[in-house]
Amino acid sequence: MDIDRSAPVVVELHRTMHAPLETIWQLHTEVDCWPQWNTGIDTAVLHGPLAVGAVFDWTTAGLVISFTVAELSPKRRIVWGGPAHGITGIHVWEFEETSDGVQVSTRESWAGAPVEANLHAMHLALEESLLAWLQVLKTTAENRN
Protein backbone atom coordinates (compact mmCIF):
# COMPACT_ATOMS: atom_id res chain seq x y z
CA MET A 1 0.00 0.00 0.00
CA ASP A 2 1.18 3.51 -0.70
CA ILE A 3 -0.03 7.03 -0.12
CA ASP A 4 -2.49 8.63 -2.52
CA ARG A 5 -0.04 10.16 -5.00
CA SER A 6 -2.89 12.07 -6.66
CA ALA A 7 -3.89 13.77 -3.38
CA PRO A 8 -3.59 17.56 -3.34
CA VAL A 9 -1.10 17.44 -0.44
CA VAL A 10 1.79 14.97 -0.38
CA VAL A 11 4.86 15.23 1.82
CA GLU A 12 7.85 12.87 1.77
CA LEU A 13 10.76 13.17 4.22
CA HIS A 14 13.76 11.13 5.34
CA ARG A 15 16.03 11.25 8.36
CA THR A 16 19.06 9.20 9.36
CA MET A 17 19.07 8.21 13.01
CA HIS A 18 22.03 6.94 14.99
CA ALA A 19 20.26 4.51 17.28
CA PRO A 20 19.44 0.81 17.09
CA LEU A 21 16.57 -0.08 14.76
CA GLU A 22 14.90 -1.90 17.66
CA THR A 23 14.84 1.30 19.74
CA ILE A 24 13.46 3.43 16.91
CA TRP A 25 10.81 0.85 15.99
CA GLN A 26 9.74 0.41 19.61
CA LEU A 27 9.33 4.14 20.18
CA HIS A 28 7.42 4.55 16.95
CA THR A 29 5.04 1.63 17.36
CA GLU A 30 4.24 1.76 21.08
CA VAL A 31 1.31 4.06 20.35
CA ASP A 32 0.19 4.38 23.97
CA CYS A 33 3.61 5.85 24.86
CA TRP A 34 3.71 8.55 22.17
CA PRO A 35 2.72 11.40 24.53
CA GLN A 36 5.68 10.50 26.79
CA TRP A 37 8.24 11.48 24.14
CA ASN A 38 6.34 13.40 21.46
CA THR A 39 5.15 16.72 22.84
CA GLY A 40 2.95 17.23 19.76
CA ILE A 41 0.69 14.39 20.89
CA ASP A 42 -1.67 14.88 23.81
CA THR A 43 -3.13 11.37 24.06
CA ALA A 44 -2.76 8.09 22.20
CA VAL A 45 -4.50 4.76 22.69
CA LEU A 46 -4.03 1.60 20.66
CA HIS A 47 -7.09 -0.66 20.89
CA GLY A 48 -5.65 -4.18 21.04
CA PRO A 49 -2.32 -5.46 19.81
CA LEU A 50 -0.47 -3.72 16.98
CA ALA A 51 -1.57 -5.62 13.86
CA VAL A 52 -3.21 -5.00 10.52
CA GLY A 53 -6.74 -3.80 11.25
CA ALA A 54 -5.84 -2.39 14.68
CA VAL A 55 -7.34 1.00 15.46
CA PHE A 56 -5.70 3.73 17.47
CA ASP A 57 -7.05 7.06 18.63
CA TRP A 58 -4.87 10.06 19.31
CA THR A 59 -5.21 13.76 19.89
CA THR A 60 -2.97 16.50 18.58
CA ALA A 61 -3.57 20.24 18.48
CA GLY A 62 -7.05 19.68 19.87
CA LEU A 63 -8.02 17.26 17.09
CA VAL A 64 -9.16 13.73 17.86
CA ILE A 65 -7.99 11.32 15.17
CA SER A 66 -8.78 7.63 14.71
CA PHE A 67 -6.60 5.65 12.31
CA THR A 68 -6.42 2.02 11.25
CA VAL A 69 -3.22 0.08 10.64
CA ALA A 70 -3.33 -1.03 7.00
CA GLU A 71 0.05 -2.73 6.67
CA LEU A 72 2.67 -3.93 9.13
CA SER A 73 6.09 -5.43 8.52
CA PRO A 74 7.93 -5.38 11.88
CA LYS A 75 11.05 -3.22 11.98
CA ARG A 76 10.58 -2.37 8.28
CA ARG A 77 7.28 -0.69 7.48
CA ILE A 78 3.97 0.46 8.90
CA VAL A 79 1.07 2.09 7.10
CA TRP A 80 -1.94 3.69 8.76
CA GLY A 81 -4.67 6.09 7.84
CA GLY A 82 -8.30 6.95 7.58
CA PRO A 83 -10.66 9.91 7.55
CA ALA A 84 -10.41 12.65 10.16
CA HIS A 85 -12.22 15.98 10.16
CA GLY A 86 -12.97 15.80 6.43
CA ILE A 87 -9.40 14.84 5.52
CA THR A 88 -8.42 11.39 4.30
CA GLY A 89 -4.85 10.72 5.34
CA ILE A 90 -2.59 7.83 4.40
CA HIS A 91 0.74 7.58 6.18
CA VAL A 92 3.64 5.27 5.30
CA TRP A 93 6.68 4.84 7.53
CA GLU A 94 9.72 2.81 6.44
CA PHE A 95 12.85 1.89 8.39
CA GLU A 96 16.10 0.68 6.83
CA GLU A 97 19.45 -0.05 8.42
CA THR A 98 22.30 1.52 6.43
CA SER A 99 26.03 1.97 6.96
CA ASP A 100 25.26 5.48 8.31
CA GLY A 101 22.55 4.45 10.79
CA VAL A 102 18.83 3.84 10.35
CA GLN A 103 17.12 5.65 7.51
CA VAL A 104 13.58 6.56 8.56
CA SER A 105 11.34 7.56 5.66
CA THR A 106 7.88 8.96 5.98
CA ARG A 107 5.36 9.97 3.38
CA GLU A 108 1.81 11.10 3.87
CA SER A 109 -1.03 12.22 1.65
CA TRP A 110 -4.01 14.37 2.55
CA ALA A 111 -7.18 14.74 0.48
CA GLY A 112 -10.57 16.26 1.15
CA ALA A 113 -12.45 19.54 1.15
CA PRO A 114 -10.51 21.14 4.04
CA VAL A 115 -7.25 20.43 2.20
CA GLU A 116 -8.51 21.83 -1.09
CA ALA A 117 -9.79 24.95 0.67
CA ASN A 118 -6.25 25.96 1.67
CA LEU A 119 -3.59 23.89 -0.07
CA HIS A 120 -0.61 25.97 0.99
CA ALA A 121 -1.51 26.04 4.69
CA MET A 122 -2.36 22.34 4.74
CA HIS A 123 0.90 21.40 3.01
CA LEU A 124 2.85 23.53 5.46
CA ALA A 125 0.99 22.05 8.45
CA LEU A 126 1.67 18.48 7.32
CA GLU A 127 5.31 19.16 6.52
CA GLU A 128 5.94 20.88 9.87
CA SER A 129 4.20 18.05 11.71
CA LEU A 130 6.28 15.35 10.02
CA LEU A 131 9.54 17.27 10.46
CA ALA A 132 8.79 17.69 14.16
CA TRP A 133 7.89 13.97 14.53
CA LEU A 134 11.10 12.87 12.82
CA GLN A 135 13.21 15.20 14.92
CA VAL A 136 11.73 14.17 18.24
CA LEU A 137 11.90 10.48 17.27
CA LYS A 138 15.57 10.92 16.33
CA THR A 139 16.43 12.84 19.50
CA THR A 140 14.59 10.43 21.78
CA ALA A 141 16.04 7.30 20.15
CA GLU A 142 19.58 8.63 20.09
CA ASN A 143 19.39 9.71 23.74
CA ARG A 144 18.36 6.21 24.78
CA ASN A 145 21.74 4.80 23.69
Side-chain angles (χ1 to χ4, degrees):
M1 178 175 197
D2 198 13
I3 61 171
D4 177 359
R5 298 228 174 246
S6 66
V9 170
V10 172
V11 174
E12 298 186 58
L13 300 168
H14 312 279
R15 182 72 47 100
T16 298
M17 301 184 187
H18 302 285
L21 174 58
E22 178 67 37
T23 300
I24 298 165
W25 180 258
Q26 182 180 11
L27 284 167
H28 189 71
T29 59
E30 287 184 350
V31 175
D32 294 345
C33 296
W34 287 352
Q36 295 172 14
W37 60 268
N38 190 334
T39 58
I41 298 175
D42 301 314
T43 65
V45 177
L46 175 64
H47 303 284
L50 185 66
V52 172
V55 174
F56 61 93
D57 299 316
W58 57 297
T59 57
T60 181
L63 299 173
V64 178
I65 302 168
S66 183
F67 279 159
T68 301
V69 176
E71 188 177 324
L72 178 66
S73 179
K75 298 181 193 168
R76 291 190 32 203
R77 178 178 165 92
I78 187 166
V79 180
W80 62 59
H85 307 279
I87 298 171
T88 298
I90 303 170
H91 201 153
V92 176
W93 290 89
E94 294 175 321
F95 305 80
E96 180 183 355
E97 289 182 293
T98 69
S99 59
D100 293 333
V102 176
Q103 176 83 17
V104 178
S105 301
T106 183
R107 57 187 180 273
E108 186 166 1
S109 60
W110 281 1
V115 177
E116 293 167 11
N118 195 342
L119 289 174
H120 177 72
M122 294 301 255
H123 187 275
L124 187 61
L126 178 56
E127 186 173 56
E128 287 177 356
S129 172
L130 294 179
L131 283 169
W133 190 306
L134 283 169
Q135 185 57 51
V136 73
L137 179 61
K138 175 181 172 65
T139 301
T140 304
E142 290 176 354
N143 287 337
R144 289 211 174 169
N145 286 340

